[in-house]
Amino acid sequence: QVQLVESGGGLVQAGGSLRLSCAASVRSFSSYSMGWFRQVPGKEREFVARIGRSSATIYEDSVKGRFTISRDNAKNTVYLQMNSLKPEDTAVYYCAADSTIRQYSVGYTTLVDWTSYAYWGQGTQVTVSS
């Protein structure tokens, strides 16, 4: 139903910037909330940012003020602008789509839980050197 392809990762020095892109092969892109997660070897997949159908955003505390998630529905694309990068930001970054239209309000813990996202890209490597 949905295919996601990330791009834009690479090697950058601490303090530098990268912009990740996620292209979605879906006709009704605007009906999905979109998220970014990251993962390093030996650790659990970690929530980074979410943008809802209304474009409301949620950020993990460690990236607030540095990362910005945005979407362009005309291009079926979600972006993650990453500024002031730190070595601890090094990870594989994954794009994910949440297709659920919820009838009841849910809390932050649900919206940032990886199990709330049904579709995933293959990931793009971000490496930040010190």
Side-chain angles (χ1 to χ4, degrees):
Q1 182 179 357
V2 178
Q3 291 183 315
L4 307 174
V5 180
E6 303 96 334
S7 62
L11 175 64
V12 65
Q13 293 183 357
S17 298
L18 286 172
R19 188 175 79 157
L20 306 183
S21 298
C22 173
S25 61
V26 57
R27 185 167 59 252
S28 57
F29 177 73
S30 62
S31 68
Y32 296 89
S33 295
M34 303 295 297
W36 288 96
F37 291 74
R38 63 189 181 187
Q39 190 168 28
V40 299
K43 298 187 67 176
E44 297 289 332
R45 187 165 297 187
E46 178 187 37
F47 170 79
V48 177
R50 174 186 173 98
I51 185 164
R53 298 169 183 85
S54 67
S55 294
T57 57
I58 300 171
Y59 295 95
E60 194 272 325
D61 285 344
S62 69
V63 308
K64 287 181 180 177
R66 300 189 298 120
F67 291 10
T68 302
I69 188 171
S70 61
R71 65 191 300 159
D72 187 338
N73 290 340
K75 296 181 178 179
N76 282 17
T77 301
V78 62
Y79 304 95
L80 186 68
Q81 178 67 48
M82 305 186 294
N83 299 326
S84 301
L85 283 162
K86 304 175 181 179
E88 48 264 47
D89 294 318
T90 296
V92 176
Y93 283 70
Y94 296 91
C95 176
D98 175 10
S99 62
T100 301
I101 306 298
R102 297 178 174 85
Q103 288 77 43
Y104 300 92
S105 297
V106 296
Y108 172 86
T109 55
T110 297
L111 298 179
V112 306
D113 189 336
W114 71 270
T115 63
S116 295
Y117 298 78
Y119 308 102
W120 293 83
Q122 292 77 47
T124 185
Q125 176 71 48
V126 172
T127 302
V128 184
S129 62
S130 60

